[in-house]
């Protein structure tokens, strides 16, 4: 796991380099990761957030998104009598006509549903799964579909019916007021209702045109900020009451299921219950009941949800969610579509959202993200253990062997293919060879293909001869029972790992005694002080364990859930770590545990709860 993370949204390497040197808050980000497996909440907006060509960047470039949109539009054509794709992505010159058509609720609501559903499916395909979902208006129908309350085909039919029923009602108007809902209620005439409580300081009023216009003048006279919303009808008010019964009858024809994923009820401000989800009356009342978005977000805040991804056009839901968090403890709320398809703006928004999620510990399926792309991937060499050699007197002359080891030759090819896959060391293009003399002096020389073959063959023979000498030295040392010496002298040799397996507890203690200072250990003397775990205090034990891990791994900071191998641990460090644990904490851990992935917290649990013996059997 990479702790320090940074990303940049760029079109080419030059732009990426510029952003890394001069970060732009809308194109890049950096953060120290302090959590893994972060819970993401999907946000779905409602009516009024649409625009012509919304999602066009993904419809053009992403096969999954295009397939989902086309499938939804084909099924909607049976209920709408026209192909919605022609309005979502009109031909050049028809944009104004499409924009007017999408103002009608019978087309507006299905279009928003299709784009939000397709975008959520795209995120899921990339490995981003919602821990919670929250939708406003038609957005709640998207959440219910993703949660399995009804089949996609049934959802599309109900969305189409809902839009037609609401469009057939008398026209109305909606007004957003920058004022707490309780204060607005005291000013409202009986003909108007609160349609939505969006945030602690913002609500929406709905009702007939004339009364809404008159109420706007009242607000203006009192110096209260407001603005008219782009709405053809008075949604979520008493003017939608005639929609309830016919919509309930249509939903009753469906086979509703309890949700398989949690999502919020915008009518109650709490997670929807199974009884609500399968109640046709609940879904019918969404046409006239006020949207308690602010109450829903407050519930999420109370339960620790602080990472939000808006799956739909615009960024209104994110903006409203941020208003529920204190400035000293903000949330992360990021839109993923934007408000225009021009100049790759949608791709910029989505890639920035992707980077933000990764920055905050969300696991991304990168193979799925890069599917159907031709990537120019260049393999890099694996991690190389730090090579240091230390003199030791074992009664044999080591001069010849240490000289051979010091004269090792490193060959670096400019080819992108791994060297191990080639049948010889001869490159197919110019190569640079680094030579290191016995005195440690390094020199570099570049060979052209015509002259490189013979010289590299000679170097190959030298390396093979030195390897044989080193192997003989290891065999000699190990036959004399000096396993720790083999580990110290050649820390990354294959035979040293064999030596580790054959070491017993005395040999491990011998590592600390013979090379403690070289391996970062103090003299191997068992401390007589009181052990911090003597009274079974898990917290004290964990702190002591974290300190040992930090010193053994030589890293500035270790968290309780950090993985040993992700911190750079390897078998040599494992031997050092367990020697320190035995010396300082009084727990003796067999070598078998070193082959497992573990964290400080897991190790403390095993040690303090007496489960170490069972875990190692």
């Amino acid at each position: 796991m990479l702790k320090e993370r940074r990303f940049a949204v760029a079109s080419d390497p030059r732009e990426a380099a510029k952003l890394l040197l001069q970060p732009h808050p809308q194109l890049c980000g950096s953060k120290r990761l302090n959590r893994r497996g972060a819970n993401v909440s999907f946000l779905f907006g409602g009516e009024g957030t649409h625009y012509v060509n919304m999602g066009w960047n993904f419809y053009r470039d992403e096969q999954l998104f295009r397939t989902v949109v086309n499938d939804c539009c084909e099924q909607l054509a049976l209920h709408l009598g026209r192909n919605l794709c022609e309005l979502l992505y009109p031909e050049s010159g028809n944009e104004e006509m499409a924009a007017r058509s999408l103002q009608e609720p019978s087309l507006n609501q299905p279009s928003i549903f299709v784009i939000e559903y397709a975008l959520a499916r795209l995120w899921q395909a990339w490995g981003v799964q919602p821990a919670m979902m929250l939708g406003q208006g038609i957005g709640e129908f998207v959440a219910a579909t993703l949660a399995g309350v009804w089949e996609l085909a049934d959802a599309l039919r109900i969305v189409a019916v809902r839009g037609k029923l609401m469009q057939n009602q008398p026209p109305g108007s909606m007004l957003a007021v920058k004022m707490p809902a309780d204060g607005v209620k005291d000013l409202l005439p009986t003909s108007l209702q609160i349609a939505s409580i969006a945030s602690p300081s913002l609500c929406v009023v709905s009702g007939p045109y004339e009364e809404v216009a008159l109420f706007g003048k009242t607000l203006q006279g009192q110096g209260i900020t407001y603005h008219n919303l782009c709405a053809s009808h008075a949604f979520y008010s008493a003017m939608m009451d005639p929609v309830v019964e016919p919509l309930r009858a249509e939903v009753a024809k469906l086979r509703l299921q309890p949700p398989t994923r949690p999502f919020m009820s915008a009518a109650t401000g709490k997670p929807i219950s199974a009884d609500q989800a399968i109640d046709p009356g609940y879904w019918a009342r969404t046409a006239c009941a006020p949207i308690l978005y602010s109450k829903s977000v407050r519930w999420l805040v109370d339960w620790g949800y602080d990472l939000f991804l808006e799956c739909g056009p615009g960024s209104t839901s994110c903006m409203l969610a941020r208003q529920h968090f204190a400035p000293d403890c903000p949330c992360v709320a990021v839109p993923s579509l934007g408000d225009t398809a021009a100049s790759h703006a949608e791709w910029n928004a989505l890639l920035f959202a992707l980077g933000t999620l990764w920055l905050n510990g969300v696991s991304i399926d990168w193979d799925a993200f890069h599917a159907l792309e031709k990537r120019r991937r260049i393999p890099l060499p694996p991690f190389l253990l730090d090579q240091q050699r230390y003199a030791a007197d074992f009664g044999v002359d080591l001069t010849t062997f240490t000289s051979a080891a010091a004269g090792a030759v490193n060959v670096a090819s400019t080819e992108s293919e791994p060297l191990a896959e080639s049948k010889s060391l001869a490159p197919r293009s110019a190569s640079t060879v680094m030579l290191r003399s016995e005195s440690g002096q390094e020199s570099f020389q570049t060979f052209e293909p015509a002259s490189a073959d013979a010289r590299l063959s000679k170097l190959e023979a030298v390396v093979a001869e030195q390897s044989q000498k080193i192997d003989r030295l290891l065999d000699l040392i190990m036959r004399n029972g000096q396993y720790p010496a083999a580990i110290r002298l050649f820390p990354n040799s294959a035979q040293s790992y064999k030596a580790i397996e054959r070491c017993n507890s005395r040999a491990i203690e011998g590592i600390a005694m013979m090379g403690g200072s070289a391996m970062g250990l103090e003299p191997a003397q068992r401390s007589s002080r009181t052990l911090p775990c003597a009274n079974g205090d898990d917290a004290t034990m964990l702190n002591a364990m974290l300190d040992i891990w930090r010193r053994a791994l030589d890293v500035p900071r270790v968290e309780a859930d950090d993985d040993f191998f992700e911190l750079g641990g390897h078998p040599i460090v494992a031997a050092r770590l367990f020697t320190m644990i035995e010396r300082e904490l009084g727990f003796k851990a067999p070598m078998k545990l070193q082959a497992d992935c573990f964290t400080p917290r897991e190790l403390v649990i095993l040690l303090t709860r007496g489960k170490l013996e069972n875990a190692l059997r």
Side-chain angles (χ1 to χ4, degrees):
M1 180 181 66
L2 301 175
K3 283 280 190 180
E4 303 294 342
R5 299 191 173 192
R6 174 177 291 186
F7 76 90
V9 179
S11 58
D12 53 55
R14 185 183 299 274
E15 184 179 355
K18 181 179 179 181
L19 287 172
L20 292 175
L21 294 174
Q22 301 175 352
H24 190 287
Q26 295 180 347
L27 294 174
C28 56
S30 60
K31 185 177 183 179
R32 176 177 173 82
L33 183 63
N34 53 16
R35 63 180 174 181
R36 289 186 288 181
N39 291 325
V40 184
S41 298
F42 281 9
L43 303 180
F44 301 102
E47 296 81 357
T49 59
H50 66 283
Y51 57 90
V52 175
N53 285 321
M54 57 181 170
W56 168 249
N57 288 177
F58 316 136
Y59 186 83
R60 177 194 60 205
D61 300 333
E62 286 295 327
Q63 179 177 330
L64 175 61
F65 186 90
R66 181 169 57 253
T67 299
V68 173
V69 170
N70 288 340
D71 180 53
C72 290
C73 289
E74 288 178 6
Q75 297 187 58
L76 281 169
L78 302 175
H79 312 294
L80 301 178
R82 64 187 305 175
N83 187 351
L84 192 60
C85 271
E86 297 176 355
L87 297 178
L88 287 172
Y89 311 116
E91 296 181 356
S92 179
N94 295 336
E95 290 85 359
E96 291 186 8
M97 180 275 295
R100 289 194 300 270
S101 297
L102 289 177
Q103 293 291 342
E104 302 174 6
S106 61
L107 299 173
N108 172 276
Q109 295 184 25
S111 67
I112 293 176
F113 179 95
V114 169
I115 297 303
E116 291 185 341
Y117 177 75
L119 190 56
R121 286 283 306 278
L122 185 63
W123 279 113
Q124 289 180 309
W126 292 343
V128 181
Q129 302 295 337
M132 180 59 77
M133 295 181 287
L134 170 59
Q136 303 182 65
I138 200 65
E140 188 170 350
F141 285 71
V142 179
T145 305
L146 294 170
V149 172
W150 41 43
E151 297 294 332
L152 175 61
D154 293 335
L156 292 170
R157 185 175 73 83
I158 291 301
V159 167
V161 170
R162 183 178 186 265
K164 289 180 180 180
L165 289 172
M166 297 177 83
Q167 182 171 323
N168 292 335
Q169 305 311 307
S173 182
M174 302 182 75
L175 196 71
V177 184
K178 193 173 182 180
M179 183 178 180
D182 291 340
V184 174
K185 288 179 181 178
D186 297 336
L187 304 176
L188 278 179
T190 57
S191 58
L192 301 181
Q193 289 87 40
I194 297 289
S196 172
I197 303 178
S199 77
S201 61
L202 182 68
C203 64
V204 177
V205 173
S206 183
Y209 271 122
E210 296 78 7
E211 283 80 356
V212 170
L214 185 62
F215 183 66
K217 293 181 180 179
T218 301
L219 295 175
Q220 186 177 11
Q222 298 188 19
I224 300 173
T225 303
Y226 72 93
H227 69 273
N228 292 294
L229 298 181
C230 182
S232 59
H233 292 70
F235 302 122
Y236 315 112
S237 72
M239 293 184 70
M240 293 291 119
D241 286 347
V243 172
V244 175
E245 183 52 34
L247 182 57
R248 189 205 63 78
E250 290 295 326
V251 177
K253 299 176 183 179
L254 306 181
R255 184 169 177 242
L256 304 181
Q257 300 285 345
T260 58
R261 290 180 181 273
F263 66 95
M264 301 297 294
S265 164
T268 65
K270 299 178 181 179
I272 195 167
S273 66
D275 291 339
Q276 290 173 326
I278 62 176
D279 178 15
Y282 172 85
W283 296 106
R285 289 189 295 273
T286 60
C288 59
I291 298 175
L292 304 182
Y293 185 80
S294 181
K295 184 177 180 180
S296 299
V297 176
R298 284 201 302 270
W299 188 95
L300 294 175
V301 173
D302 293 339
W303 284 87
Y305 293 92
D306 60 356
L307 181 56
F308 303 96
L309 176 67
E310 186 164 357
C311 299
S315 57
T316 302
S317 296
C318 284
M319 180 268 293
L320 295 175
R322 296 189 193 103
Q323 296 181 23
H324 294 79
F325 288 79
D328 58 341
C329 188
C331 70
V332 177
V334 57
S336 57
L337 188 57
D339 52 11
T340 178
S343 303
H344 306 288
E346 291 177 331
W347 265 122
N348 288 340
L350 184 136
L351 292 176
F352 183 84
L354 183 73
T356 301
L357 294 180
W358 172 78
L359 205 66
N360 286 274
V362 177
S363 297
I364 308 297
D365 187 344
W366 295 111
D367 290 336
F369 177 75
H370 293 302
L372 306 180
E373 296 181 5
K374 294 183 179 179
R375 311 297 300 174
R376 295 182 178 180
R377 186 171 184 272
I378 301 176
L380 297 176
F383 175 73
L384 179 64
L385 301 182
D386 186 24
Q387 300 184 48
Q388 298 185 53
R389 296 177 176 85
Y390 305 97
D393 184 9
F394 302 110
V396 295
D397 184 7
L398 303 181
T399 306
T400 303
F401 300 104
T402 53
S403 297
V409 180
N410 295 315
V411 179
S413 173
T414 58
E415 289 293 317
S416 63
E417 293 82 10
L419 193 60
E421 298 178 2
S422 303
K423 292 185 178 179
S424 70
L425 292 175
R428 286 175 286 176
S429 59
S431 296
T432 299
V433 176
M434 180 181 72
L435 302 178
R436 186 184 293 116
S437 66
E438 295 184 5
S439 61
Q441 184 176 1
E442 297 178 353
S443 62
F444 297 85
Q445 186 171 359
T446 302
F447 300 98
E448 295 300 324
S451 60
D453 291 351
R455 302 189 189 191
L456 289 177
S457 296
K458 183 178 180 180
L459 290 173
E460 186 179 26
V462 172
V463 172
E465 180 182 358
Q466 293 170 349
S467 297
Q468 293 175 1
K469 292 180 179 180
I470 293 173
D471 288 341
R472 290 199 300 272
L473 173 60
L474 282 168
D475 289 338
L476 177 61
I477 294 175
M478 293 171 63
R479 281 199 302 270
N480 292 331
Q482 301 290 347
Y483 306 134
I487 298 172
R488 289 175 47 241
L489 190 58
F490 303 102
N492 69 325
S493 170
Q495 294 202 36
S496 70
Y497 289 94
K498 296 180 182 178
I500 291 177
E501 296 174 359
R502 295 168 59 182
C503 281
N504 54 26
S505 60
R506 292 187 61 186
I508 294 301
E509 186 173 349
I511 296 177
M513 294 177 63
M514 298 171 61
S517 59
M519 299 181 69
L521 298 175
E522 299 172 355
Q525 297 179 355
R526 186 175 301 276
S527 175
S528 59
R529 60 185 173 83
T530 303
L531 298 178
C533 55
N535 297 322
D537 186 346
D538 288 5
T540 305
M541 173 70 169
L542 180 58
N543 290 332
M545 184 68 71
L546 292 175
D547 181 63
I548 292 175
W549 277 53
R550 180 184 58 77
R551 288 183 283 121
L553 290 158
D554 193 23
V555 292
R557 182 181 179 86
V558 175
E559 303 290 347
D561 295 314
D562 285 347
D563 186 272
F564 174 77
F565 294 103
E566 291 180 354
L567 290 173
H570 52 78
I572 306 301
V573 176
R576 176 193 314 170
L577 175 66
F578 279 90
T579 300
M580 296 173 69
I581 291 174
E582 180 179 355
R583 184 177 68 248
E584 299 185 25
L585 302 183
F587 288 99
K588 182 177 179 181
M591 293 294 295
K592 182 178 178 181
L593 188 59
Q594 299 182 21
D596 300 329
C597 292
F598 55 89
T599 67
R601 191 191 306 277
E602 294 170 350
L603 191 54
V604 168
I605 291 174
L606 286 173
L607 296 176
T608 58
R609 298 183 182 178
K611 296 182 179 180
L612 183 58
E613 293 296 332
N614 294 331
L616 297 173
R617 287 176 183 172

